[in-house]
Amino acid sequence: MITRNQIMQGKADMDISNGIFIFSDGAVRTDSTVEKGFRGGFGVALYFNGVEQMVYSGASSNTTVSRMEMTGVLAALKIVNKNKIMNASIVSDSQLVIRGITEWMDGWKRKNWTKFDKTPVENIDIWQQIDAELNASDAYINFIWVKGNNGNFGTERVDFLAGGEVDR
């Protein structure tokens, strides 16, 4: 099982010169987090000791920005597991995803994937895939939230990749 550590606030000029950092982002044509019917994209970029090693992106139709943000982090976790990475930081501008993984997911699972108000967790299919990836490895992952569009080159890079998928 992946050890999860939350670092709520990464800096725009954060130092990624030592270790593995995987940036992820999601995008759609609208600002809506719940309204479906839009083409969306996600982007992921892996940096090792400050040097970009790989990028990955994809798209989906009839989606929301929340689903694309989650899909980006899911893709990052799959990269960790496929490459047997044992220590990495996953960086996202989505507080929903970072807090969902580090604060809320264990409680949702204990309550059969329902929230505190007993309503089902939205996007349960992706949350369960994220959970499966988290449980498939012994890696230590720092989950870092960075404010979007703040000049951080990693988040700008994956924003560009995600936006490119939306425009295809």
Side-chain angles (χ1 to χ4, degrees):
M1 174 180 213
I2 289 179
T3 301
R4 294 171 265 180
N5 183 40
Q6 177 186 20
I7 301 172
M8 259 321 275
Q9 178 78 37
K11 296 181 179 171
D13 61 348
M14 63 194 292
D15 180 14
I16 67 166
S17 65
N18 187 14
I20 297 172
F21 288 80
I22 307 172
F23 291 83
S24 72
D25 196 19
V28 294
R29 277 262 177 244
T30 178
D31 291 333
S32 174
T33 59
V34 294
E35 186 178 353
K36 285 191 171 185
F38 298 95
R39 180 172 173 83
F42 70 90
V44 178
L46 184 146
Y47 293 84
F48 177 66
N49 292 342
V51 179
E52 186 175 279
Q53 300 295 312
M54 68 174 294
V55 296
Y56 178 69
S57 61
S60 181
S61 59
N62 194 31
T63 193
T64 66
V65 70
S66 294
R67 289 185 68 82
M68 290 293 89
E69 294 279 5
M70 294 167 65
T71 301
V73 171
L74 176 61
L77 288 167
K78 287 181 177 184
I79 290 168
V80 167
N81 289 340
K82 180 180 179 187
N83 294 286
K84 298 180 178 17
I85 296 169
M86 294 308 295
N87 192 329
S89 295
I90 295 177
V91 184
S92 172
D93 64 2
S94 171
Q95 286 194 35
L96 169 72
V97 178
I98 298 298
R99 294 182 74 193
I101 291 169
T102 61
E103 295 178 29
W104 305 327
M105 186 180 291
D106 289 339
W108 293 337
K109 289 175 13 181
R110 279 192 303 275
K111 294 183 274 183
N112 198 26
W113 293 97
T114 58
K115 299 182 290 186
F116 70 94
D117 62 0
K118 301 195 186 319
T119 61
V121 172
E122 291 92 2
N123 301 309
I124 190 171
D125 57 326
I126 302 177
W127 284 119
Q128 289 176 334
Q129 291 176 64
I130 288 171
D131 184 51
E133 292 297 326
L134 289 169
N135 289 309
S137 170
D138 290 325
Y140 183 87
I141 305 290
N142 286 313
F143 289 90
I144 303 172
W145 176 77
V146 176
K147 184 176 182 193
N149 303 312
N150 71 346
N152 177 287
F153 74 93
T155 58
E156 298 293 331
R157 174 73 166 125
V158 292
D159 181 68
F160 176 79
L161 293 169
E165 290 291 338
V166 171
D167 293 335
R168 276 192 184 181

